[in-house]
Amino acid sequence: MENGHTGKHRVAVIGSGNWGSVASRLLASNTAKLPSFHDEVRMWVFEETLPTGEKLSESINQAHENCKYLPGIKLGTNVIADPDLESAVKDADMLVFVTPHQFVEGICKKLVGKLRPGVEAISLIKGMEIAVEKFSEATIGYREDKEAANRWAKLFTTPYFLVSVVEDIEGVELCGTLKNVVAIAAGFVDGLDMGNNTKAAIMRIGLREMRAFSKLLFPSVRDNTFFESCGVADLITTCLGGRNRRVAEAFARNGGKRSFDELEAEMLHGQKLQGVSTAREVYEVLTYHGWQELFPLLSTVHEICIGQLPPTSIVEYSEHTPNLSFVGGSTPCY
Amino acid sequence: MENGHTGKHRVAVIGSGNWGSVASRLLASNTAKLPSFHDEVRMWVFEETLPTGEKLSESINQAHENCKYLPGIKLGTNVIADPDLESAVKDADMLVFVTPHQFVEGICKKLVGKLRPGVEAISLIKGMEIAVEKFSEATIGYREDKEAANRWAKLFTTPYFLVSVVEDIEGVELCGTLKNVVAIAAGFVDGLDMGNNTKAAIMRIGLREMRAFSKLLFPSVRDNTFFESCGVADLITTCLGGRNRRVAEAFARNGGKRSFDELEAEMLHGQKLQGVSTAREVYEVLTYHGWQELFPLLSTVHEICIGQLPPTSIVEYSEHTPNLSFVGGSTPCY
């Protein structure tokens, strides 16, 4: 696993958007300090020509700053921008993926046969605010190789960014995805002006369904994962801020009369909300297995999103709150 | 356990403040509907003379409204205010305690020998907003007698108020107490303007320490309790709103230069914050057992409250984040 020439690990970051630049900066600060890593962090840049006529990669290497996606923040002189994917990864034995998820598959195909043997990769969940060095956390999910997981954690940890590892890849991934559906529900509650008590109740029911759904799909998923940063903390962050919550709030304020398509076009310049598409995908899984009644919140979010139910349905569970005791949930009494 | 005369359960509410009135209203609405309960809910009133010269209990029985502590909301004609404690409880076989916790001991002493055999009692955690019928939740902790717990849940459940039962009295109680300490921490983060990511991280670390502390004190405490309404949902509510959070925010905004005593006098008219005194009590337990290093957040809150550390310490854990894996927590990497 170690680099043959020097025994030191070499890191390449695949992606140079806002979060890719943040990650490169953090990693470069750590590799410069940690003796088991090469100082240099190579960052693959999807090349663009800036309004000045300069290439983005050249601008980064000259100014040590990504003036387009993370202006005003120095990345470190040991971050080297490289517009050639193959060249960016060829010496690396630790790859950090920070591209939008829809590009990962295409990039991986291009990487086939171009990588060092034994190379390791990690995928980052976007949305952190650590560029400004506010205290924050993250969770790394791994399968079996705890030593590798700890090496990754060491590479990312700073005094303001605590990283934990859990042996539960599926749990960590599903937390990252399903929280966006719960954030839509939280946004509906905000749009209905129902207050913090109701919102907290909906977030908790959401967390309960996230856990039950994950455990039904992957029996290896562990309860503890939902107590990690990727679980309860990311859920809280996403339900307090975040665009899923924000657009869902607008949807509920309009009584569901303006569609998500319309609101996304207006509020997100046409970008689509991950929560809305995830809610549809989850609904398909629930329908396929006949599980809708077990997951009233996840089901209801989708049915509200497509206009089948009014936004107020998000707080109407009394008739059909399910028994989730098979995954450790308690049973409300009726 | 059932009332000898009619086979129906009789409910008495001990307390008639804001939350006592809310509880009486909810209970009276349910007892009127549920055949296994007597319609009448007797509410013990700590008698006061109103500015009009009228007695509070008489005013309630005449207007069916607590004009002092829950004005504008009808309690139901089957709520009977009774200023005589002994008379209020003498026929009841289900007692609902909703007085401030410092009065419970004195009231219990007065009740010795005055109660029906087999009487059951429940203690309510204050702070719900259900008077206005917003969707909300609660958890009932019980020991062994699940049938009794379910009867209590039935008595409290409404379409807008979901009640669950868990066989973990200590866990439910400790959630209700320790969340106030975490809310102080969350208030510090707010006062330092650190944003939602940091606040969510602190809330999660707080939840982790609540769980670990509870399990160390009472090995019977169950992880699942922290996923219930009394755990994660009440924690979120308390950390978003609530006076513990609010006064702690003011404390941090003042850089710790104005004491909690001073801020409580100004912002709460001298009422004391539960989180501050609980933090001190917890700290005593931690010191006694030599556990401070295992619980940096709980310890730090107290040390900030007494002026030993600055408010910014609330986000400085990197040097001493503990290994809580003995209670199922993951270990951050350093």
Side-chain angles (χ1 to χ4, degrees), chain A:
Chain A
M1 205 69 68
E2 303 210 337
N3 186 300
H5 301 297
T6 62
K8 294 187 175 205
H9 296 287
R10 272 183 181 273
V11 178
V13 176
I14 300 179
S16 55
N18 176 261
W19 176 221
S21 304
V22 168
S24 298
R25 172 179 188 269
L26 182 153
L27 294 166
S29 154
N30 274 359
T31 56
K33 280 182 230 147
L34 296 167
S36 54
F37 295 90
H38 248 286
D39 285 5
E40 182 183 299
V41 169
R42 205 153 268 260
M43 178 168 76
W44 174 61
V45 173
F46 184 82
E47 192 67 290
E48 301 180 41
T49 305
L50 300 173
T52 58
E54 206 181 6
K55 299 282 184 197
L56 177 59
S57 63
E58 289 163 9
S59 159
I60 292 171
N61 286 332
Q62 206 156 16
H64 305 298
E65 189 180 318
N66 187 333
C67 65
K68 178 152 184 190
Y69 296 108
L70 190 65
I73 292 181
K74 290 289 172 193
L75 300 179
T77 54
N78 53 332
V79 172
I80 309 298
D82 189 337
D84 178 336
L85 181 63
E86 197 176 324
S87 140
V89 301
K90 76 174 192 310
D91 292 323
D93 61 349
M94 295 180 82
L95 299 184
V96 179
F97 281 85
V98 266
T99 59
H101 72 279
Q102 60 268 34
F103 300 145
V104 172
E105 196 182 338
I107 290 169
C108 286
K109 282 183 181 157
K110 283 191 195 143
L111 291 178
V112 174
K114 314 291 187 196
L115 298 173
R116 290 167 49 85
V119 67
E120 293 172 358
I122 198 167
S123 154
L124 301 189
I125 297 163
K126 56 200 174 197
M128 294 297 177
E129 291 174 16
I130 59 174
V132 285
E133 304 202 350
K134 284 183 183 167
F135 179 75
S136 187
E137 294 186 301
T139 312
I140 292 177
Y142 70 96
R143 191 174 285 131
E144 288 171 12
D145 192 349
K146 183 162 190 174
E147 202 187 312
N150 280 334
R151 184 164 53 241
W152 281 107
K154 192 172 172 187
L155 180 60
F156 278 101
T157 297
T158 76
Y160 56 87
F161 188 52
L162 302 194
V163 179
S164 302
V165 302
V166 292
E167 191 174 354
D168 182 3
I169 288 193
E170 291 81 6
V172 172
E173 279 293 320
L174 282 165
C175 278
T177 307
L178 296 173
K179 70 176 183 201
N180 293 316
V181 181
V182 182
I184 300 267
F188 292 153
V189 173
D190 285 342
L192 297 166
D193 286 322
M194 306 207 71
N196 289 340
N197 244 316
T198 304
K199 188 169 172 182
I202 290 297
M203 288 163 69
R204 185 195 79 83
I205 293 170
L207 185 65
R208 185 175 77 143
E209 292 194 13
M210 284 167 62
R211 182 170 65 130
F213 183 73
S214 302
K215 287 171 82 171
L216 269 179
L217 283 186
F218 299 97
S220 64
V221 165
R222 297 161 63 178
D223 280 347
N224 259 324
T225 302
F226 298 84
F227 282 123
E228 295 297 333
S229 163
C230 63
V232 65
D234 283 357
L235 177 69
I236 293 170
T237 306
T238 313
C239 290
L240 295 188
R243 54 192 192 172
N244 285 286
R245 190 212 63 75
R246 187 161 54 89
V247 180
E249 179 180 355
F251 182 88
R253 286 211 186 282
N254 286 289
K257 292 198 181 66
R258 302 184 61 198
S259 70
F260 270 99
D261 281 341
E262 196 181 334
L263 292 166
E264 284 161 342
E266 183 178 301
M267 299 174 71
L268 306 174
H269 313 292
Q271 269 195 291
K272 307 305 275 183
L273 285 181
Q274 219 195 317
V276 172
S277 56
T278 303
R280 188 183 57 244
E281 289 158 17
V282 168
Y283 195 82
E284 283 164 11
V285 174
L286 296 179
T287 313
Y288 176 79
H289 291 288
W291 291 344
Q292 291 108 307
E293 293 196 357
L294 289 174
F295 297 95
L297 186 136
L298 295 175
S299 302
T300 301
V301 167
H302 174 66
E303 289 168 352
I304 295 171
C305 285
I306 61 172
Q308 204 170 297
L309 289 175
T312 49
S313 305
I314 203 63
V315 291
E316 286 160 11
Y317 294 109
S318 56
E319 303 303 321
H320 55 127
T321 301
N323 184 341
L324 289 176
S325 57
F326 61 93
V327 286
S330 73
T331 316
C333 158
Y334 298 103

